[in-house]
Amino acid sequence: MQAIKKKNRNSKSVYAPNPLQQEEESHTLAIVVENEPGVLARVIGRFTGRGYNIDSLTVAETDHEENTSRITIVCSGTPAVIEQIKAQLRQIVPVKRVRDLTTFGPHIERELALIKVAGTGEKRIEALRLADVFRAQPLDSTLESFVFELTGTTEKVNAFIDLMKPLGLVDVSRTGIAAISRGSTTHDDKD
């Protein structure tokens, strides 16, 4: 099972942390919904109405015949807050199923990024060398710039972007995380 990502609260208090204070965790939720107008707004409305934060959001139609879409949300909070989020989402009528991939079992997470780098000379050569190391594909090339396509974990995308900054990074477009469970399990299987 993939390890739950935990965030340390950077408390500015001079007192020792409360032993009952829980650490925040990052969870990836896969939500199957009816593909109808306004569903995404209703899901997002639950988050904003309760003050929950969304770290990443992707959505697309997944089954045209069953008229369903899949929303993948990465959110963070204490374990109690994550349970509240899941309970709130299950109350929305067009939501058919909510699965917490982080606790369900092994899963795959990927993100797509388009990264534009402008530069000449040695910086241009170094950007191409690093793109090869990260298996980033050049989608567009001019004498002064590249647009790279990179697919991978959020950590991999962040590392590539950090390396491109001193080489002439000028623009980034990211999709957010798409995730699916490993093996033969499906979204319909019981938790």
Side-chain angles (χ1 to χ4, degrees), residues 119-185:
T120 58
E122 290 298 319
K123 288 185 177 182
R124 180 180 172 87
I125 293 168
E126 182 64 8
L128 280 172
R129 188 186 71 75
L130 289 172
D132 187 49
V133 170
F134 278 77
R135 297 183 183 163
Q137 300 296 316
L139 296 181
D140 181 60
S141 177
T142 68
L143 293 175
E144 296 88 25
S145 68
F146 289 103
V147 174
F148 296 110
E149 175 190 61
L150 180 63
T151 304
T153 63
T154 298
E155 292 79 16
K156 178 181 177 182
V157 172
N158 287 341
F160 186 71
I161 289 171
D162 287 344
L163 289 171
M164 290 297 115
K165 285 178 181 174
L167 300 177
L169 178 75
V170 291
D171 203 1
V172 176
S173 178
R174 300 173 74 157
T175 61
I177 290 173
I180 196 165
S181 59
R182 288 184 179 270
S184 60
T185 59

Side-chain angles (χ1 to χ4, degrees), residues 6-22:
K6 293 187 175 182
K7 293 182 176 180
N8 290 326
R9 292 185 177 183
N10 293 329
S11 174
K12 295 182 180 178
S13 172
V14 295
Y15 302 104
N18 181 343
L20 298 176
Q21 187 178 18
Q22 295 178 318

